[in-house]
């Protein structure tokens, strides 16, 4: 399903879309050691790059289907020096939307069933001296900024357990 990789290229992660119509994968397809995310129809065709352009020292890591039950969008990180930006993009391609307002280290991600609101927990603050805590944020994908839902909740090295206790109501409220 993917085109020939560049010398030294590799595929590092892959999955079928929730409706089994597309194959999503991350690969160093165009440049060696630069992993990016692609989508291709399951019956074959041209692979579409999904992520924003990455600059020197940045890399695309991890992707998730988090647009509710439909799975029409994926979320992915662009990382540099241990700090991430979170993006969302339609699964078949199109413009990526940056979800977070400030760079952070993400620990969990949820969305409403209809995919219109995403919630995320991120380590924010001064990373260099360990003075960072976990903060909860919400963002409607049609809104221009995230809403802070909490003050920093835990200090460096504390297990937040967010992924086990957080749920999003179906109405997104």
């Amino acid at each position: 399903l993917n085109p020939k990789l560049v010398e030294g290229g590799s595929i590092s992660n892959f999955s079928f879309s929730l409706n089994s119509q597309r194959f999503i994968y991350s690969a160093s397809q165009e440049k060696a050691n630069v992993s990016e995310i692609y989508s291709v129809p399951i019956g074959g065709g041209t692979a579409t790059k999904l992520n924003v352009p990455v600059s020197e020292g940045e890399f695309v890591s991890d992707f998730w289907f988090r647009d509710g039950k439909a799975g029409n969008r994926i979320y992915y990180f662009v990382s540099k020096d241990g700090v991430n930006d979170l993006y969302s993009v339609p699964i078949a391609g199109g413009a990526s939307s940056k979800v977070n307002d400030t760079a952070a280290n993400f620990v969990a991600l949820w969305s409403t069933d209809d995919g219109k609101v995403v919630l995320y927990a991120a380590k924010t603050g001064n990373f260099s001296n360990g003075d960072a805590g976990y903060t909860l944020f919400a963002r409607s994908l049609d809104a221009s900024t995230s809403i802070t839902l909490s003050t920093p909740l835990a200090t460096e090295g504390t297990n937040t357990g967010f992924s086990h206790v957080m749920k999003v109501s179906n109405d997104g409220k």
Side-chain angles (χ1 to χ4, degrees), residues 3-63:
K4 182 177 178 176
L5 302 175
V6 297
E7 186 172 329
S10 64
I11 295 175
S12 56
N13 194 6
F14 56 88
S15 183
F16 291 102
S17 62
L18 296 179
N19 65 7
S20 300
Q21 297 299 305
R22 300 195 72 81
F23 185 70
I24 313 302
Y25 63 98
S26 58
S28 48
Q29 180 170 295
E30 298 173 17
K31 298 179 193 173
N33 301 317
V34 178
S35 185
E36 298 186 280
I37 301 172
Y38 299 87
S39 173
V40 63
I42 199 67
T46 303
T48 301
K49 186 188 306 185
L50 298 179
N51 56 272
V52 296
V54 293
S55 61
E56 185 69 32
E58 291 182 322
F59 63 95
V60 176
S61 64
D62 299 325
F63 64 86

Side-chain angles (χ1 to χ4, degrees), residues 127-142:
F127 295 98
S128 62
N129 69 7
D131 182 26
Y134 294 94
T135 305
L136 297 174
F137 299 92
R139 182 174 190 147
S140 169
L141 290 182
D142 58 6

